Amino acid sequence: MLNGLYEHSAWIAEQALSQRPFRSLAHLKHAMVQVLGAAGLAAQLAVIRAHPELAGKAMVDSHLTVESTHEQDRAGLTHCTPQEFAKIHQLNAAYKAKFDFPFILAVRGPRGTGLLKQEIIETFERRLQGHPSFELQECLRNIHRIVEIRLNDKFGVAPTAGNQVWDWHEALAQFSEPLYQEEGQLTVTYLTDAHRACATHLVQLMSDSGFDEVVIDAVGNVVGRYLSKQHAARTLLTGSHYDTVRNGGKYDGRLGIFVPIACVRALHAHGQRLPFHLEVVAFAEEEGQRFKAAFLGSSSLTGQFDPSWLDQTDVHGTTMRTAMAQAGLNPLDIASLRRQPEDYLGFVEVHIEQGPVLAELNLPLGVVTSINGSVRYQAEIIGTACHAGTTPMDRRHDAAAAAGELILAIEKRACRDGDSVATVGQLLVPHGSINVVPGRCQFSLDMRAPSDAQRDAMVRDALTALAEICARRQVRYTLEETLRAACAPSAPAWQKRWEQAVNALGIPVHCMPSGAGHDAMKLHEIMPQAMLFVRGQNAGISHNRLESTTSDDMQLAVDAFSQLLSQLAGEP
Amino acid sequence: MLNGLYEHSAWIAEQALSQRPFRSLAHLKHAMVQVLGAAGLAAQLAVIRAHPELAGKAMVDSHLTVESTHEQDRAGLTHCTPQEFAKIHQLNAAYKAKFDFPFILAVRGPRGTGLLKQEIIETFERRLQGHPSFELQECLRNIHRIVEIRLNDKFGVAPTAGNQVWDWHEALAQFSEPLYQEEGQLTVTYLTDAHRACATHLVQLMSDSGFDEVVIDAVGNVVGRYLSKQHAARTLLTGSHYDTVRNGGKYDGRLGIFVPIACVRALHAHGQRLPFHLEVVAFAEEEGQRFKAAFLGSSSLTGQFDPSWLDQTDVHGTTMRTAMAQAGLNPLDIASLRRQPEDYLGFVEVHIEQGPVLAELNLPLGVVTSINGSVRYQAEIIGTACHAGTTPMDRRHDAAAAAGELILAIEKRACRDGDSVATVGQLLVPHGSINVVPGRCQFSLDMRAPSDAQRDAMVRDALTALAEICARRQVRYTLEETLRAACAPSAPAWQKRWEQAVNALGIPVHCMPSGAGHDAMKLHEIMPQAMLFVRGQNAGISHNRLESTTSDDMQLAVDAFSQLLSQLAGEP
């Protein structure tokens, strides 16, 4: 049954089979991942090297690509031009020279239908730039993906709901602001034409999927309700945002809208009703891209929409008030969007991870323990600008060297906690000259941890380090706190429901903090909440067009959400 | 005789007097500097605290300024407006609160004629920002300066030539490019109107000072010759540049033009001739500000002016060729400017130090041992941009953290040599976001040392460190060498002549490398050379409008140059 899954490495499937019985196909897939992971570097390299080079169709007679002829037919490397063929040949040679193993890519891609020729070549070029140890793991991940697709074929299983959710993302991504759309970039900021087109599209999708009520509310949220037969029942709230950052990914936010829609669609198709109302909210705004304020959608539901935000302006000078009027929204109605906690069971949110953890662990899903608290600063170190040739090292007050020391100090401090993060994302010596010792260095500081206490302890140490470094180097500094967000630990009962749902799919339960902020962080203030993360491809990159996930992982997210609904329905 | 030099600290003068006899007033001044320097921190603080606060004229009845009433009358704090008076009061309070000693400023300033009210307030505001340990020393330096002026008064000695040289700098600084002149900034780049006005002004000054021949040569240098009676005698070449960086100082380059002019003026006034010709060149261009090429003036004398430079363009697209044509210069004649080494004794250059060493040592002059060799790079580290919230510390490839580590590594490496310097002057995370781990970090690298071998060893270690850091952090880098200049050690015989000249003035001889490049570096290629440095005020700041030196130090430079001429004249 499992013959031919791996190129010349049948032992992986054989060893995995010793773990029978399997609770699901996902369980079997993970067993094989574990066998290869435990086999050690030499065995992993041998598995990779058993694969032939990536080949264009012109070479199909002499060599196969990494996948079978059947798979190659479904991928995009057919009918290569001589230029493309030469390019692939050259990339293969460069890759082999750098890594000493062949480039492996699951050419059937995240939807299983095949990558485009251009996507394959771009991926090849990008991965050629990678670090050898990362690239080794990326090849193994691609082998797992190839095997996953082969297993689906062998078992005649298709991730039908996952494919549908994948396709919905594609359809929604057709709407982008014109300036970005020309360059193939996805940008949907609050109340632009593209944003309003998304809302209309989502209304249609929810209606088609069987929701009983679908409205665009006063802040621009698309709200669909799938009602229980018991009118007095409480409501489970879920959803995520449909706006994007500039040049963002297709899945950030939207996955958390489409997954519950897929569940409602299935319930509706089977004529099933839940013993509670299900309310799916596509939040209009979370990213804070067009105006300074962020979380406009979820803030409205918690009664925290601040009317003074209406006077904020975008880069063109348009106020939020004007933008809302143009969209036919009445800001005076926002206050009425506030939800009464007693009407609600809680809030759950599905979201793409936006980080590398699940990808590195080869796990499709993760359960969120807490949304990290964060503190942000804008800082400047002021030393003394002086001649880089004439000022002896021991007489310098170098602002950049002080900043460099701080970067390393906070890196070390965050590492000590294990699950804290600290980042200097912006760094600049203003008007720096090659021959002038930096007199000023500006930087940002972003620190996050799973608990406010842990975060505050780190912040304290970081600021002490800054003061100590500056005193020792005889430079001074300015520091402005620009954000302080409390962390939002998951409600234990709701986290437990997600854990049970994941476990029911035969997948190891992995619990993890969320480093990024999410709408759940806002809803946290008025009701219990917990989130489910879905693995991202490409090292979990996000806020980037390379953001991606597979339709198989989306299927698991839909399955987990359905599990959660069933569990909840069965609870006394 | 020495009563009243110090406020309530007569012991300084008394202890200094025990070192009698003194070879010069400069020797006595330095003896007092040494007494206070050796007295320790407690005694220094007591001396500082013996001074009253800086006071506006409105307070003259109740309190004196740091200097006597007589001195205050010559300074600018007379007739303060109520606002100015309040400002000074506030600055005094803030300064006292920060440093716990009173602000001390030699209000008679670098020329002895008094600072303007605005200058005093600006200096106060700037120094309030300083580090306590620096500011303590700066107060002591100002006390030394107050005492220097008092001593001059007591002995009835005026730095006549120094004052003249000081005034010449002021007069030349009236010419600045219009855009900068409006903001009170000095900018004179190659062949602009301001630059050509400087040349005309210098021709006039040289002619008035008794030079026998004065010309503007084909590259724009102003060349004055003070001839020996022996027509066949060889020539001593000296000079420096009259162009400036943007928003530069008044003394950078120009001091090395005016000091020998003052010597010629004195020789001419006394009807004295030297047994060698003296050629003073005001080089037209050294800084490389308008066009990419630098050292245009001195390169012409060494025959290294590259005609391809004529096609370089400034920011407005004007070629050097066009600029020269507009200035009436004929580039075809530049080749003929090449000097024949056999006609020359050597090249000497006086220059403001452009660094803090002499100021910290309280020494007015320094003898240069070598112009440091330098290597410059433009570099970029490429890591992986990722979400600052979601990417665990141990999974990051942070380009800025790698750069920070390199900055500290090269700082430590340069320190190890003692007299090497290494600088990251430009530093930038392009398009950095507060919540994104830096994927790229661009920086410059400038490394200099007194010998090429020492420099190359440092460069090797720096590049090894860069490679090691990047390998360990799994990031990559690019590196472009943009400059490599060999060092120019002083000719021993000429360095010796400067040492003897300084010693003859009763000043301790301090030998030091030049960290900055100078015209002497170019002349080095065809004749022996050695340089004399003059102390800068304000921690030796340069390429900055705060660049300054006193007319007393200028007097000593003129005296040293005259000494060198006398010695040379007396040599067999």
Side-chain angles (χ1 to χ4, degrees):
Chain A
M1 181 73 197
L2 299 184
N3 283 349
L5 281 178
Y6 291 91
E7 263 78 4
H8 314 296
S9 306
W11 58 271
I12 300 170
E14 282 160 18
Q15 282 190 29
L17 282 180
S18 71
Q19 294 178 36
R20 279 181 294 189
F22 297 106
R23 296 163 58 201
S24 64
L25 193 53
H27 187 188
L28 168 59
K29 289 172 182 173
H30 188 68
M32 294 197 286
V33 162
Q34 282 184 302
V35 166
L36 187 50
L41 182 62
Q44 291 167 352
L45 276 171
V47 170
I48 293 172
R49 290 188 177 130
H51 288 71
E53 290 186 330
L54 188 75
K57 185 68 173 175
M59 279 188 75
V60 78
D61 295 333
S62 59
H63 251 308
L64 296 181
T65 66
V66 288
E67 292 165 278
S68 74
T69 314
H70 170 67
E71 284 154 340
Q72 178 157 19
D73 287 347
R74 298 174 68 168
L77 281 186
T78 49
H79 310 296
C80 282
T81 64
Q83 290 75 21
E84 287 163 346
F85 184 76
K87 180 77 191 174
I88 291 169
H89 186 74
Q90 174 212 327
L91 286 168
N92 270 319
Y95 191 94
K96 184 65 168 45
K98 178 170 177 186
F99 299 109
D100 198 26
F101 50 76
F103 174 70
I104 299 182
L105 175 66
V107 293
R108 278 183 53 192
R111 173 66 164 81
T113 42
L115 296 171
L116 298 175
K117 210 155 42 179
Q118 194 50 35
E119 288 176 313
I120 292 172
I121 291 172
E122 279 174 12
T123 304
F124 205 159
E125 287 174 328
R126 178 165 48 79
R127 284 180 45 193
L128 185 55
Q129 301 299 327
H131 192 273
S133 69
F134 174 83
E135 198 48 31
L136 175 88
Q137 294 301 321
E138 192 69 1
C139 282
L140 294 177
R141 281 190 284 270
N142 273 276
I143 289 173
H144 295 317
R145 175 65 184 152
I146 292 166
V147 169
E148 172 165 68
I149 294 172
R150 288 178 182 173
L151 269 177
N152 289 350
D153 291 349
K154 274 186 192 287
F155 283 87
V157 172
T160 316
N163 286 342
Q164 188 168 56
V165 167
W166 208 93
D167 296 342
W168 286 342
H169 283 93
E170 286 299 302
L172 193 62
Q174 74 186 284
F175 307 110
S176 179
E177 295 173 25
L179 199 67
Y180 299 87
Q181 196 160 28
E182 285 165 23
E183 300 179 14
Q185 297 179 352
L186 179 65
T187 301
V188 178
T189 67
Y190 188 49
L191 297 184
T192 55
D193 287 348
H195 185 269
R196 293 165 61 193
C198 285
T200 306
H201 185 88
L202 287 167
V203 167
Q204 192 62 50
L205 178 66
M206 286 190 188
S207 303
D208 292 349
S209 298
F211 281 80
D212 300 299
E213 303 167 357
V214 183
V215 297
I216 296 177
D217 73 13
V219 81
N221 297 327
V222 182
V223 182
R225 287 174 62 83
Y226 188 67
L227 300 175
S228 170
K229 286 179 183 164
Q230 297 138 277
H231 292 298
R234 292 207 285 168
T235 300
L236 173 63
L237 189 64
T238 187
S240 193
H241 60 98
Y242 66 90
D243 69 321
T244 76
V245 296
R246 293 189 177 79
N247 196 13
K250 294 173 184 169
Y251 308 97
D252 177 1
R254 295 159 176 211
L255 185 60
I257 301 167
F258 291 134
V259 164
I261 291 178
C263 292
V264 167
R265 196 177 185 91
L267 289 168
H268 177 72
H270 294 90
Q272 293 175 331
R273 291 280 163 177
L274 297 164
F276 46 86
H277 306 304
L278 179 61
E279 184 172 329
V280 179
V281 182
F283 292 108
E285 208 284 338
E286 187 252 29
E287 300 281 9
Q289 295 281 305
R290 183 170 178 187
F291 301 99
K292 199 176 166 194
F295 295 98
L296 299 181
S298 44
S299 294
S300 301
L301 268 61
T302 63
Q304 293 171 309
F305 185 97
D306 182 344
S308 76
W309 294 343
L310 295 167
D311 298 318
Q312 292 183 356
T313 52
D314 67 8
V315 287
H316 305 296
T318 305
T319 64
M320 193 188 296
R321 191 187 312 279
T322 302
M324 292 180 76
Q326 285 168 352
L329 304 180
N330 184 357
L332 294 177
D333 292 341
I334 292 177
S336 70
L337 301 183
R338 185 170 193 279
R339 299 302 195 263
Q340 299 308 316
E342 58 273 23
D343 298 340
Y344 285 83
L345 293 164
F347 179 75
V348 290
E349 182 175 356
V350 176
H351 207 285
I352 191 165
E353 181 199 338
Q354 304 186 279
V357 176
L358 293 173
E360 289 194 12
L361 294 172
N362 284 298
L363 288 174
L365 302 175
V367 177
V368 174
T369 55
S370 177
I371 302 171
N372 286 355
S374 62
V375 177
R376 290 182 182 174
Y377 295 95
Q378 289 290 347
E380 180 168 30
I381 294 178
I382 303 105
T384 309
C386 53
H387 197 297
T390 60
T391 314
M393 298 306 290
D394 61 357
R395 289 186 180 82
R396 296 182 172 204
H397 307 287
D398 183 333
E405 201 174 336
L406 181 74
I407 292 171
L408 298 184
I410 61 153
E411 182 184 48
K412 195 171 164 189
R413 176 59 184 81
C415 280
R416 212 177 76 194
D417 285 343
D419 52 0
S420 293
V421 289
T423 307
V424 170
Q426 296 172 319
L427 180 65
L428 171 69
V429 172
H431 309 297
S433 291
I434 196 165
N435 59 345
V436 176
V437 176
R440 291 165 64 206
C441 188
Q442 299 167 339
F443 57 96
S444 64
L445 197 47
D446 176 309
M447 288 175 278
R448 314 192 195 193
S451 81
D452 290 349
Q454 181 177 325
R455 177 202 62 191
D456 292 343
M458 171 170 59
V459 167
R460 236 179 354 258
D461 289 350
L463 300 193
T464 302
L466 176 61
E468 184 278 318
I469 291 164
C470 289
R472 175 164 36 76
R473 289 181 174 269
Q474 301 186 12
V475 297
R476 60 198 176 87
Y477 64 92
T478 61
L479 195 66
E480 185 197 356
E481 184 179 304
T482 56
L483 178 92
R484 179 172 290 261
C487 54
S490 301
W494 287 95
Q495 182 183 328
K496 188 83 187 162
R497 289 188 185 99
W498 278 127
E499 292 174 18
Q500 287 170 344
V502 170
N503 181 58
L505 305 182
I507 302 167
V509 174
H510 180 73
C511 294
M512 59 189 294
S514 168
H518 294 293
D519 291 303
M521 208 165 80
K522 283 286 154 196
L523 274 307
H524 178 81
E525 308 195 12
I526 60 166
M527 62 181 77
Q529 59 79 26
M531 294 183 69
L532 179 74
F533 273 173
V534 180
R535 162 171 60 187
Q537 301 290 299
N538 301 322
I541 198 164
S542 185
H543 290 187
N544 189 303
R545 56 190 286 273
L546 291 175
E547 183 186 73
S548 179
T549 185
T550 66
S551 61
D552 281 278
D553 288 357
M554 290 174 171
Q555 178 69 50
L556 291 169
V558 172
D559 292 345
F561 202 99
S562 296
Q563 275 289 335
L564 180 124
L565 294 177
S566 305
Q567 282 171 39
L568 200 57
E571 285 178 19
Chain B
M1 180 72 199
L2 298 185
N3 284 348
L5 281 178
Y6 292 89
E7 263 78 4
H8 313 296
S9 307
W11 57 272
I12 300 171
E14 283 160 19
Q15 282 190 29
L17 283 179
S18 70
Q19 294 177 37
R20 279 180 295 192
F22 297 106
R23 297 163 59 201
S24 64
L25 195 52
H27 188 189
L28 168 58
K29 290 172 182 173
H30 188 69
M32 293 197 288
V33 162
Q34 282 184 304
V35 166
L36 189 51
L41 181 61
Q44 292 168 353
L45 275 171
V47 170
I48 293 172
R49 291 189 176 129
H51 288 72
E53 289 187 332
L54 188 74
K57 184 68 174 174
M59 278 188 74
V60 78
D61 296 332
S62 59
H63 252 307
L64 295 180
T65 66
V66 288
E67 292 165 277
S68 74
T69 315
H70 171 66
E71 283 156 339
Q72 178 157 19
D73 288 345
R74 298 175 67 171
L77 280 187
T78 50
H79 309 297
C80 282
T81 64
Q83 291 74 23
E84 287 162 348
F85 184 78
K87 179 78 191 173
I88 290 168
H89 187 73
Q90 174 211 329
L91 286 168
N92 270 320
Y95 191 93
K96 183 67 168 40
K98 177 170 178 185
F99 299 110
D100 198 25
F101 50 75
F103 174 70
I104 300 182
L105 176 66
V107 292
R108 278 183 53 193
R111 174 64 165 83
T113 43
L115 296 171
L116 299 175
K117 210 155 42 178
Q118 193 51 35
E119 288 175 315
I120 292 171
I121 291 172
E122 279 175 12
T123 305
F124 205 159
E125 287 175 327
R126 180 165 46 80
R127 283 178 46 191
L128 185 54
Q129 300 300 327
H131 192 272
S133 69
F134 174 84
E135 197 49 29
L136 175 89
Q137 294 302 319
E138 192 69 1
C139 281
L140 295 177
R141 281 190 283 269
N142 273 276
I143 290 174
H144 295 316
R145 175 65 184 152
I146 292 168
V147 169
E148 173 164 68
I149 294 172
R150 289 179 182 172
L151 270 176
N152 289 350
D153 290 349
K154 276 186 190 287
F155 284 87
V157 171
T160 316
N163 286 343
Q164 187 167 57
V165 168
W166 208 92
D167 295 343
W168 286 342
H169 282 92
E170 286 299 302
L172 193 62
Q174 75 186 284
F175 307 110
S176 179
E177 295 173 25
L179 196 68
Y180 299 88
Q181 197 158 27
E182 284 166 23
E183 300 179 13
Q185 298 180 353
L186 179 64
T187 301
V188 179
T189 66
Y190 188 49
L191 297 185
T192 55
D193 287 349
H195 185 270
R196 291 165 62 193
C198 285
T200 306
H201 185 89
L202 287 167
V203 167
Q204 192 61 49
L205 178 67
M206 285 190 187
S207 302
D208 292 349
S209 298
F211 281 80
D212 301 297
E213 304 168 356
V214 184
V215 296
I216 297 178
D217 74 13
V219 79
N221 297 328
V222 182
V223 182
R225 286 174 62 84
Y226 187 65
L227 299 175
S228 169
K229 288 180 180 163
Q230 297 138 275
H231 292 299
R234 291 207 284 168
T235 301
L236 174 63
L237 189 65
T238 187
S240 194
H241 61 98
Y242 66 91
D243 69 322
T244 76
V245 296
R246 293 190 175 80
N247 195 14
K250 294 173 182 170
Y251 307 97
D252 177 2
R254 294 158 176 212
L255 185 61
I257 302 168
F258 291 133
V259 164
I261 291 178
C263 292
V264 167
R265 195 176 184 92
L267 289 168
H268 177 72
H270 294 90
Q272 291 174 333
R273 291 280 164 178
L274 297 164
F276 47 85
H277 306 304
L278 180 60
E279 183 172 328
V280 180
V281 182
F283 292 107
E285 207 284 339
E286 187 251 26
E287 299 282 9
Q289 295 281 306
R290 183 171 177 187
F291 301 99
K292 200 175 166 192
F295 295 97
L296 298 181
S298 45
S299 293
S300 300
L301 268 61
T302 62
Q304 293 172 310
F305 185 97
D306 182 343
S308 75
W309 294 342
L310 296 167
D311 298 319
Q312 292 182 358
T313 53
D314 67 8
V315 287
H316 305 296
T318 305
T319 63
M320 193 189 295
R321 191 187 313 276
T322 302
M324 292 181 76
Q326 285 168 351
L329 304 179
N330 183 357
L332 294 176
D333 292 341
I334 292 177
S336 71
L337 301 183
R338 185 171 194 278
R339 301 300 196 264
Q340 299 307 315
E342 57 274 22
D343 297 341
Y344 284 84
L345 293 164
F347 178 75
V348 290
E349 181 176 358
V350 176
H351 207 284
I352 190 164
E353 182 200 337
Q354 305 186 279
V357 176
L358 293 173
E360 289 194 13
L361 294 172
N362 284 299
L363 289 174
L365 302 175
V367 178
V368 174
T369 54
S370 176
I371 302 171
N372 287 354
S374 63
V375 176
R376 291 181 182 175
Y377 295 95
Q378 290 290 348
E380 181 170 30
I381 293 178
I382 303 105
T384 308
C386 52
H387 196 296
T390 60
T391 314
M393 298 305 290
D394 62 358
R395 289 185 179 84
R396 296 182 173 204
H397 308 288
D398 183 332
E405 201 175 335
L406 182 74
I407 291 171
L408 298 184
I410 63 153
E411 182 183 48
K412 194 171 164 190
R413 176 60 184 81
C415 281
R416 213 177 75 195
D417 285 343
D419 53 1
S420 293
V421 287
T423 307
V424 170
Q426 298 171 318
L427 180 64
L428 172 68
V429 172
H431 310 296
S433 292
I434 196 165
N435 60 344
V436 177
V437 175
R440 292 165 63 205
C441 187
Q442 299 167 341
F443 58 96
S444 64
L445 198 47
D446 176 308
M447 288 175 279
R448 314 192 196 194
S451 81
D452 291 349
Q454 181 176 325
R455 177 202 62 190
D456 292 344
M458 171 170 58
V459 168
R460 233 177 357 256
D461 288 350
L463 300 193
T464 302
L466 176 61
E468 186 277 318
I469 290 164
C470 289
R472 175 162 38 75
R473 288 181 174 270
Q474 300 187 13
V475 297
R476 59 199 177 87
Y477 63 92
T478 61
L479 195 67
E480 186 197 357
E481 184 178 305
T482 56
L483 178 91
R484 178 171 290 263
C487 52
S490 300
W494 286 94
Q495 182 183 328
K496 189 84 188 160
R497 288 188 184 98
W498 278 127
E499 291 174 19
Q500 287 170 345
V502 171
N503 182 57
L505 305 182
I507 302 168
V509 173
H510 180 74
C511 295
M512 60 190 293
S514 167
H518 294 292
D519 291 304
M521 208 165 78
K522 282 287 153 196
L523 274 307
H524 179 80
E525 307 195 13
I526 61 166
M527 62 181 75
Q529 61 77 26
M531 293 183 69
L532 179 73
F533 273 172
V534 180
R535 161 171 61 186
Q537 301 291 300
N538 301 323
I541 198 164
S542 185
H543 290 186
N544 190 303
R545 56 189 285 274
L546 291 174
E547 183 185 74
S548 179
T549 184
T550 67
S551 61
D552 281 277
D553 287 356
M554 289 175 170
Q555 178 69 49
L556 291 170
V558 172
D559 292 346
F561 202 99
S562 296
Q563 274 291 336
L564 181 124
L565 294 177
S566 304
Q567 282 171 38
L568 200 57
E571 285 179 20

